[in-house]
Amino acid sequence: MTSPSIRLSGAVMTHPKRVAAARALSDGLPELGLQVVVDPQPEAPPAALRTARLAWAAVGPDATHHLVLQDDAVPAADFLRRLEPLVAARPDAALSLFTEWGSRTSHVVRIAALLGYTMAPVVDDYIPAVGLVLPAEVARGFEEYARAKLDGRDHDDVALLDYLSDLGVETVIPVAGLVDHREDISLVGNNVMGNRSATCFPPAGTVPAGPHSLLTAPATVPYYDFWGQYSDACVPDESSVDGRERSSARAWLLERSVTHPEMMALLEEALARHPQREFLVDRLSEIVLGEVWIVAFLLGVIAAEHAREVGRPLDFAAPLAKAALATFGPGAVRRVVPARWLPTVGSVLEPLVLDGVRAGAARENARTSA
């Protein structure tokens, strides 16, 4: 890919067991001339960092930016049309092209979508790296950083975030993702996380190329702990590399006079309106539904607070907002629902999540107008 200002080189990082998939991915994007970079020590214990170091070092000599895709990346059909304007909109940033539907960043993407922004900040304690673009000089510098500071056992996405944080590089993601994640047998044990699909992956041709606008990161980020099925709030913590630590969503809301009984009463009202209440309770339990509701409510509170600060309305009918909110439920419960049931459960959860976000936004608006 070339333009007067953006010249992109790229690589696909892979393992010998997946070379065929990596080559197919490269061949599917012939305009990019993606190199296939294979794990240099495939007989050693699995570690993506070995391959990532080579992939990030494979920067073209004239490139302004470098793209690395992992071999299980699934690019959008309009990947090339949308990629260059995104890079050009934030040329000094690290641009993640994917975040999974249960990450911290997924909830910031949802807030951005509700407010009509096209880009959001990455707020995870790693940098989503299934598809990632870095400025060329930043990409070239990763190998030197790895030699000096890493012991080879680090996770590549955590190491990359530490590196970018040291450099002060901004980390962003498009609201409409350019990459989805193909489910496969993870070589580094990530299958225990359950299905990791994209937060917002709209059909090709439905997303305009720009202009682009970036959401300012909210101080507190909603988070659903899909390991333990807890409702969390990631609150500011300057001592951590990502700037936040996990706390209780209940405690955060209680500080704003939102009590647990109040939220559960609103949940009960929403369930009473839901035509498939019994199905949801049977598949998830009232405990899990309660935790999902609290995070949806928290997201609504934070979105309404942010809307007031930036002077934008919340648009629940916006196509990207609907698409991003639709993945909230399955992203939260993917470890407690069998894979064969997840699409159905996610679909049935969708209106309940929307009710929760609306309830949180209404509560915040009522608080500030009182």
Side-chain angles (χ1 to χ4, degrees), residues 15-16 39-46 50:
H15 185 275
D39 186 344
Q41 296 177 273
E43 71 289 347
R50 290 191 300 266

Side-chain angles (χ1 to χ4, degrees), residues 24-348:
L25 179 54
S26 176
D27 291 344
L29 297 167
E31 299 89 340
L32 295 179
L34 299 173
Q35 301 181 54
V36 174
V37 177
V38 183
D39 186 344
Q41 296 177 273
E43 71 289 347
L49 180 59
R50 290 191 300 266
T51 318
R53 290 172 65 171
L54 293 178
W56 286 113
V59 186
D62 299 322
T64 61
H65 294 80
H66 188 61
L67 163 71
V68 171
L69 295 172
Q70 296 178 359
D71 57 24
D72 51 6
V74 181
D78 54 358
F79 181 87
L80 293 172
R81 177 183 72 81
R82 291 166 50 205
L83 177 59
E84 187 173 323
L86 283 163
V87 175
R90 228 65 189 182
D92 297 326
L95 177 67
S96 288
L97 306 180
F98 164 90
T99 188
E100 61 107 331
W101 55 6
S103 65
R104 295 184 191 180
T105 298
S106 72
H107 297 297
V108 179
V109 165
R110 294 178 180 113
I111 293 170
L114 284 165
L115 289 169
Y117 290 95
T118 66
M119 305 177 81
V122 171
V123 295
D124 294 298
D125 52 2
Y126 60 92
I127 184 77
V130 172
L132 180 62
V133 178
L134 296 181
E137 288 308 308
V138 175
R140 291 187 183 101
F142 183 60
E143 173 57 24
E144 181 179 352
Y145 173 87
R147 284 198 307 267
K149 296 194 174 184
L150 304 180
D151 64 5
R153 294 174 295 177
D154 304 77
H155 295 287
D156 62 322
D157 50 6
V158 175
L160 280 163
L161 180 64
D162 290 343
Y163 170 60
L164 296 170
S165 178
D166 282 357
L167 293 179
V169 175
E170 180 182 45
T171 57
V172 301
I173 186 167
V175 168
L178 270 72
V179 167
D180 203 352
H181 177 254
R182 188 185 72 252
E183 290 308 305
D184 206 340
I185 301 300
S186 172
L187 299 180
V188 293
N190 286 335
N191 289 108
V192 295
M193 295 183 184
N195 189 311
R196 291 169 289 145
S197 294
T199 299
C200 182
F201 194 65
T206 62
V207 182
H212 290 292
S213 55
L214 177 67
L215 174 79
T216 301
T220 298
V221 173
Y223 181 61
Y224 191 89
D225 178 353
F226 56 84
W227 286 98
Q229 301 298 305
Y230 299 128
S231 52
D232 286 338
C234 298
V235 299
D237 176 15
E238 293 183 2
S239 67
S240 64
V241 66
D242 60 293
R244 290 174 181 82
E245 67 171 353
R246 281 171 53 184
S247 182
S248 163
R250 286 178 175 80
W252 191 92
L253 288 162
L254 187 58
E255 290 177 359
R256 285 148 184 81
S257 302
V258 182
T259 67
H260 185 255
E262 176 187 352
M263 285 188 291
M264 292 304 98
L266 291 168
L267 170 58
E268 184 57 36
E269 291 174 11
L271 283 172
R273 298 189 299 266
H274 200 299
Q276 293 180 273
R277 171 189 180 137
E278 296 306 317
F279 174 84
L280 280 177
V281 173
D282 178 64
R283 295 296 169 189
L284 292 175
S285 82
E286 292 179 347
I287 294 172
V288 170
L289 285 174
E291 298 301 308
V292 170
W293 177 266
I294 290 170
V295 177
F297 190 97
L298 175 62
L299 191 150
V301 169
I302 293 172
E305 183 178 72
H306 222 60
R308 185 174 64 253
E309 292 173 358
V310 301
R312 291 188 178 211
L314 294 176
D315 186 355
F316 292 94
L320 291 185
K322 293 172 69 174
L325 288 173
T327 64
F328 185 125
V333 303
R334 81 283 187 104
R335 292 193 75 243
V336 296
V337 173
R340 68 182 184 278
W341 277 107
L342 191 58
T344 300
V345 171
S347 178
V348 176

